[in-house]
Amino acid sequence: MTSAINTDGILGRRGLRTGVEWSTPAAARACAAQLIAEHRTRHQEILRNPHLSAEWARATVRAPQLLAAVQDAIGPDVAVENTFLVMKWPHRAFEIPWHQDGIDARVELDPNRSVSAWLAISDATLDNGCLHAVFGSHHFGYLPFSSEADNGAERGRADQATGFTADATTALPLRAGTALLINNRLLHRSGTNTGDGARVGLNIRYVAPGGIRRRDLQSPSPDPVTGTGW
Ligand SMILES: O=C(O)CCC(=O)C(=O)O
């Protein structure tokens, strides 16, 4: 198996790979229906690290086709650094601002030894809050992270640095059961769900050995999935 590291970094010029099938659409939608039923009453929007506590998520991060795509990007030894389930309820304002997955107040990941996957558990559409990304924005490295200025201001800075304009933003609707792989420096966001049904998506941050440059002491240890180098 070859790793796709080159001068563009992993995942090439766009910094993104589409069309990874991790489940059948029917099985993914059934999983989404269960999560929606479980969390509808309180309109829970975020579940952190479900792969450590819920069997469906433990199995999902190990889905064979997903794992093969991840290994193709970062090599054979893979652990899960973090998972983040986002449920967007219809007509409830909830946006995830522009950000890069590999850097936050808690962690910085080596962009050549880590990759994020975003899985559509339900269908993700233009109406219900699919991801939007700026292809190629990973070339300009990590932006200075600030928990307050993680959206418009930083995006503006990326625009200046790169010549990107709002037109360079691409919407990424996805069918349930498919996934995107994202270079961890790629700028992306998602908007409010203005559709009629809930949207459910799972973000998974995978790392190869040595892929974590900095993390805080409260973080759970990476959860090994393949390999022995952990
Ligand atoms: O699920 C979403 O709407 C966005 C999630 C995301 O971008 C992330 O977790 O990094």
Side-chain angles (χ1 to χ4, degrees), residues 124-229:
T125 66
L126 292 176
D127 287 342
N128 74 10
C130 69
L131 292 200
H132 297 247
V134 183
F135 289 171
S137 52
H138 62 300
H139 285 112
F140 297 91
Y142 283 131
L143 298 168
F145 179 80
S146 143
S147 53
E148 283 156 22
D150 57 353
N151 46 25
E154 296 299 355
R155 172 81 204 303
R157 203 176 296 187
D159 287 353
Q160 281 166 23
T162 62
F164 286 124
T165 65
D167 298 344
T169 297
T170 304
L172 297 160
L174 282 194
R175 197 195 66 212
T178 61
L180 301 168
L181 291 192
I182 303 172
N183 183 301
N184 269 329
R185 292 169 302 176
L186 193 82
L187 281 164
H188 60 285
R189 65 174 285 275
S190 67
T192 286
N193 180 351
T194 58
D196 293 330
R199 196 229 69 183
V200 186
L202 180 69
N203 177 281
I204 308 167
R205 291 204 294 233
Y206 290 100
V207 288
I212 301 176
R213 287 178 178 165
R214 172 181 61 75
R215 64 207 316 263
D216 72 16
L217 295 171
Q218 274 82 50
S219 303
S221 302
D223 186 26
V225 173
T226 58
T228 54

Side-chain angles (χ1 to χ4, degrees), residues 84-88 96-97 99-101 116 118 129-131 182 188-191 199 201-203 205:
F84 192 70
L85 181 79
V86 176
M87 285 173 280
K88 292 195 171 196
I96 307 260
H99 65 282
Q100 299 168 302
D101 281 350
S116 285
W118 191 88
C130 69
L131 292 200
I182 303 172
H188 60 285
R189 65 174 285 275
S190 67
R199 196 229 69 183
L202 180 69
N203 177 281
R205 291 204 294 233

Side-chain angles (χ1 to χ4, degrees), residues 6-45:
N6 57 32
T7 53
D8 288 321
I10 63 158
L11 304 176
R13 283 190 50 199
R14 293 196 312 169
L16 179 134
R17 173 173 169 186
T18 54
V20 178
E21 302 202 355
W22 59 273
S23 165
T24 63
R29 288 181 190 130
C31 179
Q34 256 185 347
L35 288 163
I36 291 165
E38 202 176 319
H39 297 287
R40 163 177 284 138
T41 315
R42 297 178 59 198
H43 290 114
Q44 177 109 17
E45 289 172 327

Side-chain angles (χ1 to χ4, degrees), residues 92-114:
R92 289 175 77 95
F94 176 32
E95 299 192 2
I96 307 260
W98 290 106
H99 65 282
Q100 299 168 302
D101 281 350
I103 188 164
D104 59 28
R106 187 182 67 74
V107 77
E108 183 177 322
L109 303 181
D110 179 336
N112 286 323
R113 293 188 193 150
S114 66

